[in-house]
Amino acid sequence: MEKITFFDEESGENLEVFVVEQTKLNGENYLLVTEDEDGDSTAYILREESGQENEDLFYEIVEDEALLSALSGIFAEMLEDVDFSF
């Protein structure tokens, strides 16, 4: 599994997470990531963003409830054995 690092503004720390799946919705890329590679784990849905001046990628945690609901439905269909709880 691919690993990425993103800055969690809530905790003020860089988090290293594993990419489980990705999808595109309305022209934007989203990643389903987990803290642990195997087993039950805290999961996040991240929106992929790129900087204007360079080609670095940034990730932002999706917090909008309607968008989270839509994306969790998409990821649940892609991964049959996944159960999301908010």
Side-chain angles (χ1 to χ4, degrees):
M1 247 184 233
E2 179 185 0
K3 275 202 259 187
I4 63 168
T5 301
F6 77 98
F7 181 75
D8 180 13
E9 292 181 10
E10 195 169 294
S11 69
E13 298 178 358
N14 284 323
L15 295 178
E16 191 169 85
V17 293
F18 297 91
V19 178
V20 176
E21 192 60 79
Q22 64 182 22
T23 192
K24 188 173 252 189
L25 181 65
N26 296 329
E28 295 194 65
N29 292 322
Y30 294 92
L31 304 176
L32 174 64
V33 300
T34 60
E35 291 181 349
D36 297 317
E37 189 171 14
D38 296 318
D40 291 342
S41 177
T42 299
Y44 304 95
I45 296 177
L46 306 177
R47 179 185 358 253
E48 185 180 280
E49 300 180 9
S50 61
Q52 295 287 340
E53 297 177 14
N54 55 40
E55 295 188 23
D56 289 340
L57 294 177
F58 300 92
Y59 300 95
E60 178 179 62
I61 295 175
V62 174
E63 295 180 358
D64 179 86
E65 289 185 34
L67 183 56
L68 271 175
S69 179
L71 289 166
S72 63
I74 292 169
F75 284 125
E77 285 183 26
M78 295 171 80
L79 304 164
E80 296 171 2
D81 62 343
V82 172
D83 181 37
F84 291 98
S85 59
F86 298 96

